[in-house]
Amino acid sequence: MSTDRREIDRIVTAALDEDAPWGDLTSETLIPADATATAALVAREPGVLSGIDVFAAAFRIVGPAIEVERLAADGDRFVAGDVLARVHGPARGILTAERVALNLSQRMSGVATLTARYVAAVTGVDGSHARIVDTRKTTPGLRSLERQAVRDGGGRNHRRSLSDAIMAKDNHLAVLTAGGVDLADALRSARDRMPHTAHLEVEIDRLDQLDAVLAGGADTIMLDNFALADLREGVQRIGGRAIVEASGGVNLDTVAAIAATGVDVISVGALTHSARALDLGLDIDISLGDGTGTP
């Protein structure tokens, strides 16, 4: 599912306003008003595409006369040299939108490409059915786009925000235990008060916390920074009574072994907080028309 167009336009408009708050001084003084351009979005390295609608939106918002031809779709794999889109229209507008269009599509494609590597690493692991999911460790203001990029790379999304689920993490538990509150009772009380459509997840960092969390009725139990042997024991002790999520210490070298322990979900903050922008370029051919335009 792609990001809603209104959300894309909101993010892209904010980015364009940041980049050219009073117009593009260079293009408006240097480039003739009647100049047109044709540009190609070209991959400089292999990867997975994400953000083609975001790329197109930057040009559409700057100038309705600019046409964008999509030659690839979100989720498509490509190799270096592939042309992913073509842009045609007034040169000033294309030059003004170029950096925002590239920044966002490079960022999203980087997230999608990294996610695809994690998904590939757990695919076919014996005894594994684990999903790769993101976290809230996203770039402020870009969460919608980065979550889409994770999906385009074959991953799944965790909760979108603090408003979407009850998720008791280590600091929540520290506050509760410091106040002498029984954890199982606190979780049962929270379940009694939460909407029937909500989900209750609890993060633990020791196996001796497990019985209280199960007694409290957690829907998902996150085993955070557990050794592989402890992950396997945790999965066995939970025995299907809750979804088991593994988190912490996850990288491309460890994720397959974590998946083999039988966990249901592996959350990876690196999908968004450590993905590098993919190298995409916009190759532009400028035409000055009949030469009568004025800068």
Side-chain angles (χ1 to χ4, degrees):
M1 181 177 65
S2 297
T3 306
D4 180 79
R5 174 168 169 161
R6 292 171 297 180
E7 177 74 351
I8 290 175
D9 285 0
R10 180 187 67 79
I11 294 171
V12 172
T13 298
L16 290 167
D17 287 345
E18 177 184 59
D19 203 36
W22 302 285
D24 178 356
L25 188 59
T26 304
S27 295
E28 291 167 13
T29 58
L30 187 64
I31 303 300
D34 63 350
T36 61
T38 297
L41 177 64
V42 181
R44 309 290 194 215
E45 61 179 317
V48 177
L49 181 62
S50 182
I52 193 65
D53 289 342
V54 178
F55 175 84
F59 297 102
R60 170 172 50 81
I61 292 169
V62 164
I66 300 175
E67 300 175 355
V68 177
E69 180 187 7
R70 297 164 174 81
L71 301 178
D74 287 337
D76 285 355
R77 295 175 181 269
F78 54 80
V79 298
D82 282 354
V83 178
L84 308 175
R86 294 191 186 278
V87 184
H88 179 75
R92 285 182 176 180
I94 291 175
L95 291 167
T96 298
E98 173 188 10
R99 177 42 52 201
V100 166
L102 283 175
N103 282 352
L104 293 173
S105 57
Q106 287 176 318
R107 171 67 181 158
M108 292 179 68
S109 295
V111 171
T113 300
L114 182 59
T115 301
R117 294 180 66 191
Y118 274 89
V119 171
V122 303
T123 300
V125 173
D126 288 344
S128 172
H129 55 273
R131 296 179 175 185
I132 298 296
V133 306
D134 54 17
T135 71
R136 285 171 41 248
K137 297 176 182 177
T138 53
T139 307
L142 298 185
R143 183 167 295 173
S144 295
L145 302 187
E146 291 178 352
R147 282 167 59 86
Q148 178 192 324
V150 168
R151 297 192 299 271
D152 290 338
R156 305 291 186 92
N157 296 140
H158 212 297
R159 61 174 177 162
R160 176 184 174 85
S161 71
L162 293 172
S163 303
D164 294 324
I166 295 176
M167 187 170 174
K169 295 177 69 67
D170 53 353
N171 286 338
H172 298 98
L173 301 189
V175 171
L176 287 174
T177 55
V181 177
D182 180 80
L183 178 56
D185 288 343
L187 294 176
R188 283 191 289 263
S189 178
R191 178 170 288 285
D192 288 342
R193 295 194 306 274
M194 74 185 198
H196 71 282
T197 56
H199 189 90
L200 174 59
E201 177 165 357
V202 182
E203 173 189 283
I204 63 173
D205 52 22
R206 305 186 315 273
L207 283 172
D208 62 15
Q209 298 169 298
L210 193 53
D211 289 340
V213 172
L214 285 168
D219 299 303
T220 296
I221 301 174
M222 178 193 291
L223 308 180
D224 187 47
N225 283 301
F226 274 49
L228 293 176
D230 289 338
L231 281 176
R232 284 189 288 269
E233 182 178 347
V235 169
Q236 292 172 357
R237 287 178 57 180
I238 292 167
R241 289 176 287 174
I243 296 169
V244 184
E245 177 179 341
S247 183
V250 183
N251 56 54
L252 284 168
D253 293 327
T254 63
V255 69
I258 292 170
T261 65
V263 298
D264 303 299
V265 174
I266 303 174
S267 53
V268 188
L271 299 183
T272 52
H273 74 57
S274 295
R276 68 171 181 84
L278 211 68
D279 191 1
L280 308 176
L282 194 67
D283 297 338
I284 295 182
D285 178 27
I286 299 288
S287 171
L288 296 182
D290 60 10
T292 60
T294 56

